[in-house]
Amino acid sequence: MEGELESLESCLERHIPPPDLAEVKRILYGGETRKLSLPAAALSSAQQRDFELQGYGFDAAAEQLRRPRIVRVGLVQNKIPLPTDTAVAVQVAALHRRIEEIVEVAAMCGVNIICFQEAWTMPFAFCTREKLPWTEFAESAEDGMTTKFCQELAKKYNMVVVSPILERDEIHGGTLWNTAVVISNSGALLGKSRKNHIPRVGDFNESTYYMEGNTGHTVFQTQFGTIAVNICFGRHHPLNWLMYSLNGAEIIFNPSATIGTLSESLWPIEARNAAIANHCFTCPINRVGTVSHHDLGHFYGSSYVAAPDGSRTPGLSRTQDGLLVVEMDLNLCRQVSDKWNFKMTGRYEMYADKLAEAVQPCFTPNVIGE
Amino acid sequence: MEGELESLESCLERHIPPPDLAEVKRILYGGETRKLSLPAAALSSAQQRDFELQGYGFDAAAEQLRRPRIVRVGLVQNKIPLPTDTAVAVQVAALHRRIEEIVEVAAMCGVNIICFQEAWTMPFAFCTREKLPWTEFAESAEDGMTTKFCQELAKKYNMVVVSPILERDEIHGGTLWNTAVVISNSGALLGKSRKNHIPRVGDFNESTYYMEGNTGHTVFQTQFGTIAVNICFGRHHPLNWLMYSLNGAEIIFNPSATIGTLSESLWPIEARNAAIANHCFTCPINRVGTVSHHDLGHFYGSSYVAAPDGSRTPGLSRTQDGLLVVEMDLNLCRQVSDKWNFKMTGRYEMYADKLAEAVQPCFTPNVIGE
């Protein structure tokens, strides 16, 4: 995008001299995240294929009884490669090809779990209010061609794949859902997780396309760690993050589609707060580019990973396709939990009662006046 | 503090040229906060009295049926003026004098509601594990000399005063509590709000001094707006913020005492996330300086105000006493709520049920494996 700042972090790097830069990074990001050394072949493939490739790592202290639980996670952000008036099947095929070449590089980087952006097989057209042709992008979560495509990738690269799509549920009246399909590294379908909170914000009113998800806060136990998927608008709801965490999620993905004028000042805050509050890793992903035929603004990318200790990686570009590879030792989650004790000090029983009162029609707020 | 960065924002201002600076501020802070023009007499008094004075304003759109509800809030951060081995009564008197001279300047700036830092009448000695002389700083919330002192200030300046102290509750067995006393601008005692979550983190283990608060999530309806006080460690608990908000708080103060090595990368995130998630203003306050006779680290100040639209003020100094004056139109809270609809889309009924399940001994997490 002409005139768009490439990334916040590159701007800080360019202007602020050390040692002030180190202090700025400590205060803003919890420190300088360790850079991963990625294979030269991966870096040159990424360059040839015209996407940004960044790698960072989070470490944990050594323990006596648990080995380090090192996992490499990949976050993918991308533009739509074809105009939105191209035939549906051709658009989907082009997105499959684009993702295939990014996943191949992820495999070269040793990625164990990869997550694509929200509704990745289509333009993010839910702000148009139009139905056709957008609803034609919907697929079965269980045996749609995108799920089959992801199962092939998963098997080929021994990689857990999180594939957020527009779902058509034929079993339940042909309803539409905003759904993440989770596929094991064996290629087996593990299950699906539907978007729990649906935006009704200006043009981003998706409430005429699909309803609030009914899959609860399922987490998925994979060979590489226990994961969950909090789709897009669920990012704004601290209770949504909390319930995934109480069910045991160590890594919570947040595939999203959001634009600069609406949410960019919220973006660095919410998922990072969730990582802190829940002693887990969070992985917000945002697409880049525009929904070309509607001028609804610029999706600003900036995908990043936040760690339970409050630190975070820099964001990917605001304008370019990218793959963020993040190595994490999942032992950090329990180590931080044992340090800060938020779950122990959370008084959840009190809040369960208070919240049950607060939703009653007869609720009287606890207000003292003079 | 020698070697301490004065403030993040002044560092960014110094190094980053416009227009990059404007973009950095937009992404980091949601934009350039409007600067308040403060009276020259106030600015020169602050300089003479050796504390920083900053003023910012948040605006709301004009409405037809509601007038703007403009309120000026004051946040005070300060060092302890005397060594910690000075006689208790002398230390308290010196703190009263220090606060008196800061409040006088706040009055010159038109402040309507002022909040002091956590346990403001004493060194923050709860990290020492010692009892005497620290417990001697405790006072009755209802008729202790600090409450009387604050009532005088409130009447004199027509100002709501939030006074966080160490409370001795003689009525209930002489127990200690970490309590904020809320005094109306008439001078009347409105009530008190106790710290709901007690830290048990390294040296900051306050659990041997006082228990989790039993005053719930009371909010206080004042002439200038409905306020609540979420003390220190409650900042880490999203449900705590939520319950104050569900009870109607438009401004939530967060008087705190926390040090750089522990929490500085969390500081800009948590209260700001709470402002976003709850469509309200949040006011985190942190003291400056050290607990001199124990080397427990540097309290890093950086008090700020976050607005419901995700924007925030710069922070006060990391090292100096300061008064932050922030003008806000409280109509912004409902305007942002009507835009984002988090309370409407929050599905609190589901979470009340889920949370009630999650606290049961027989809770089975919702985990899917292969």
Side-chain angles (χ1 to χ4, degrees):
Chain A
M1 288 292 287
E2 212 179 329
E4 289 284 346
L5 192 71
E6 171 60 21
S7 92
L8 175 64
E9 293 78 13
S10 62
C11 179
L12 299 178
E13 301 257 358
R14 196 162 59 244
H15 294 302
I16 302 176
D20 276 3
L21 184 61
E23 270 298 270
V24 165
K25 285 187 176 177
R26 183 183 68 78
I27 296 172
L28 276 182
Y29 298 124
E32 179 90 55
T33 318
R34 173 169 61 85
K35 277 221 162 203
L36 273 190
S37 167
L38 297 174
L43 289 163
S44 77
S45 287
Q47 196 166 28
Q48 278 159 29
R49 294 167 188 188
D50 193 25
F51 66 87
E52 183 187 10
L53 173 59
Q54 295 284 349
Y56 297 95
F58 295 103
D59 303 309
E63 300 184 17
Q64 292 190 27
L65 299 183
R66 294 196 305 180
R67 289 189 203 177
R69 291 187 301 135
I70 309 289
V71 53
R72 287 202 177 187
V73 163
L75 278 58
V76 180
Q77 66 175 39
N78 59 281
K79 294 185 284 286
I80 47 174
L82 294 178
T84 51
D85 56 2
T86 315
V88 167
V90 177
Q91 288 190 61
V92 175
L95 276 157
H96 281 200
R97 276 198 307 278
R98 181 58 170 159
I99 287 299
E100 195 166 25
E101 63 184 12
I102 296 176
V103 172
E104 188 180 36
V105 173
M108 294 161 74
C109 297
V111 164
N112 307 114
I113 308 174
I114 199 159
C115 183
F116 311 138
Q117 66 198 16
E118 183 183 17
W120 73 268
T121 63
M122 60 184 293
F124 202 80
F126 306 118
C127 24
T128 62
R129 299 189 196 85
E130 306 155 358
K131 292 291 164 106
L132 288 174
W134 316 117
T135 52
E136 294 195 77
F137 285 89
E139 298 183 38
S140 159
E142 286 73 23
D143 50 20
M145 67 177 176
T146 293
T147 293
K148 285 178 182 151
F149 166 79
C150 291
Q151 288 179 301
E152 289 307 313
L153 289 178
K155 266 191 294 199
K156 181 172 179 185
Y157 296 120
N158 189 34
M159 202 184 285
V160 172
V161 176
V162 179
S163 168
I165 61 168
L166 180 63
E167 179 195 4
R168 174 80 70 183
D169 183 355
E170 293 294 356
I171 305 292
H172 295 94
T175 42
L176 293 173
W177 300 90
N178 186 315
T179 302
V181 180
V182 181
I183 295 155
S184 171
N185 52 316
S186 70
L189 180 69
L190 270 179
K192 62 188 176 188
S193 185
R194 286 170 172 163
K195 185 169 177 168
N196 275 328
H197 300 266
I198 308 301
R200 298 144 196 271
V201 185
D203 284 322
F204 281 79
N205 177 2
E206 300 165 31
S207 66
T208 61
Y209 292 93
Y210 32 74
M211 299 294 285
E212 281 72 14
N214 60 356
T215 51
H217 295 84
T218 306
V219 304
F220 302 93
Q221 197 162 34
T222 77
Q223 184 188 319
F224 309 111
T226 305
I227 67 174
V229 196
N230 173 352
I231 303 177
C232 198
F233 197 68
R235 180 176 67 254
H236 306 300
H237 292 282
L239 275 160
N240 198 31
W241 296 102
L242 174 65
M243 283 313 305
Y244 288 117
S245 172
L246 288 178
N247 280 295
E250 297 170 300
I251 306 168
I252 307 178
F253 294 97
N254 176 236
S256 301
T258 183
I259 58 170
T261 50
L262 190 62
S263 67
E264 194 162 1
S265 63
L266 284 55
W267 182 254
I269 304 298
E270 294 167 311
R272 190 167 162 207
N273 191 73
I276 295 167
N278 299 296
H279 308 309
C280 66
F281 289 93
T282 61
C283 307
I285 300 168
N286 185 25
R287 62 173 65 204
V288 280
T290 55
V291 182
S292 47
H293 82 297
H294 274 72
D295 184 18
L296 290 161
H298 163 66
F299 296 97
Y300 54 81
S302 309
S303 306
Y304 68 94
V305 172
D309 63 2
S311 64
R312 57 157 286 188
T313 70
L316 285 179
S317 161
R318 297 181 65 255
T319 56
Q320 299 301 314
D321 288 11
L323 168 65
L324 179 64
V325 177
V326 177
E327 181 177 280
M328 42 184 83
D329 183 343
L330 296 180
N331 284 352
L332 187 61
C333 300
R334 198 173 80 180
Q335 288 174 14
V336 173
S337 180
D338 285 352
K339 174 183 177 186
W340 279 103
N341 291 321
F342 295 158
K343 291 224 169 61
M344 196 165 88
T345 60
R347 307 186 74 182
Y348 299 130
E349 200 151 4
M350 171 178 78
Y351 289 110
D353 291 345
K354 296 256 190 191
L355 209 50
E357 284 171 28
V359 296
Q360 294 305 315
C362 60
F363 173 58
T364 308
N366 181 2
V367 184
I368 293 184
E370 192 163 346
Chain B
M1 287 291 286
E2 212 178 330
E4 289 284 345
L5 192 72
E6 172 60 21
S7 92
L8 174 65
E9 293 78 12
S10 62
C11 178
L12 298 178
E13 300 258 357
R14 196 162 58 243
H15 294 303
I16 302 176
D20 277 1
L21 183 61
E23 270 297 271
V24 165
K25 286 188 175 175
R26 184 183 67 78
I27 295 173
L28 276 182
Y29 298 125
E32 179 92 56
T33 318
R34 174 169 62 84
K35 277 220 162 202
L36 273 191
S37 166
L38 297 174
L43 290 162
S44 77
S45 287
Q47 195 167 27
Q48 278 158 27
R49 294 166 188 188
D50 192 24
F51 66 87
E52 182 187 10
L53 174 59
Q54 296 284 349
Y56 298 95
F58 295 103
D59 303 309
E63 301 185 16
Q64 292 191 26
L65 299 183
R66 295 196 303 181
R67 289 189 202 176
R69 291 187 301 136
I70 309 290
V71 53
R72 287 203 178 188
V73 162
L75 279 58
V76 181
Q77 65 176 38
N78 59 281
K79 294 185 284 285
I80 47 173
L82 294 177
T84 50
D85 56 1
T86 315
V88 167
V90 177
Q91 288 190 61
V92 174
L95 277 157
H96 281 200
R97 279 199 304 278
R98 182 57 169 159
I99 287 299
E100 195 165 25
E101 62 184 11
I102 296 175
V103 172
E104 190 181 32
V105 173
M108 293 161 75
C109 297
V111 164
N112 307 113
I113 308 174
I114 198 158
C115 182
F116 310 138
Q117 65 199 17
E118 183 184 17
W120 75 267
T121 63
M122 61 183 293
F124 202 80
F126 306 117
C127 25
T128 62
R129 300 190 194 83
E130 305 155 359
K131 291 291 164 106
L132 288 174
W134 316 118
T135 52
E136 294 194 77
F137 285 89
E139 299 183 38
S140 160
E142 286 73 23
D143 50 19
M145 67 177 174
T146 292
T147 293
K148 285 179 181 150
F149 166 80
C150 292
Q151 288 177 301
E152 289 307 312
L153 289 178
K155 266 190 293 198
K156 181 170 180 187
Y157 297 121
N158 189 34
M159 201 183 286
V160 172
V161 177
V162 179
S163 167
I165 61 167
L166 181 63
E167 178 195 4
R168 174 80 70 183
D169 183 354
E170 295 294 357
I171 305 292
H172 295 93
T175 42
L176 294 172
W177 300 90
N178 186 315
T179 302
V181 180
V182 181
I183 295 154
S184 171
N185 51 316
S186 70
L189 180 69
L190 270 180
K192 61 188 177 187
S193 185
R194 286 171 172 162
K195 184 169 178 169
N196 275 328
H197 299 267
I198 307 301
R200 299 144 196 270
V201 185
D203 284 321
F204 280 79
N205 178 2
E206 300 164 30
S207 65
T208 61
Y209 293 92
Y210 32 74
M211 298 295 286
E212 281 71 14
N214 60 356
T215 50
H217 296 83
T218 306
V219 304
F220 302 92
Q221 198 162 33
T222 77
Q223 184 188 319
F224 309 111
T226 305
I227 67 173
V229 196
N230 173 352
I231 303 179
C232 199
F233 197 69
R235 180 176 68 253
H236 306 300
H237 292 281
L239 275 160
N240 198 31
W241 296 102
L242 174 67
M243 283 313 306
Y244 288 117
S245 172
L246 288 178
N247 279 296
E250 296 170 300
I251 306 169
I252 308 178
F253 294 97
N254 175 237
S256 301
T258 183
I259 57 170
T261 50
L262 191 62
S263 66
E264 194 162 1
S265 63
L266 284 55
W267 181 254
I269 304 298
E270 294 167 311
R272 189 167 164 207
N273 191 73
I276 295 167
N278 299 296
H279 307 311
C280 65
F281 289 93
T282 61
C283 306
I285 300 168
N286 185 26
R287 62 173 64 202
V288 280
T290 55
V291 183
S292 47
H293 82 296
H294 273 73
D295 185 17
L296 290 162
H298 163 65
F299 295 97
Y300 54 81
S302 307
S303 306
Y304 68 94
V305 172
D309 63 2
S311 64
R312 56 158 286 188
T313 70
L316 285 180
S317 162
R318 298 180 64 255
T319 57
Q320 298 302 313
D321 288 11
L323 167 65
L324 179 63
V325 177
V326 177
E327 181 177 279
M328 43 185 83
D329 183 343
L330 296 180
N331 285 353
L332 187 61
C333 300
R334 199 173 78 180
Q335 288 175 14
V336 173
S337 180
D338 285 352
K339 173 182 177 187
W340 279 103
N341 291 322
F342 295 158
K343 292 224 169 60
M344 195 166 88
T345 59
R347 306 185 76 181
Y348 299 131
E349 199 150 7
M350 171 178 76
Y351 289 111
D353 291 346
K354 296 258 190 189
L355 209 50
E357 286 172 27
V359 296
Q360 294 306 315
C362 61
F363 173 59
T364 308
N366 181 2
V367 184
I368 293 185
E370 193 163 345

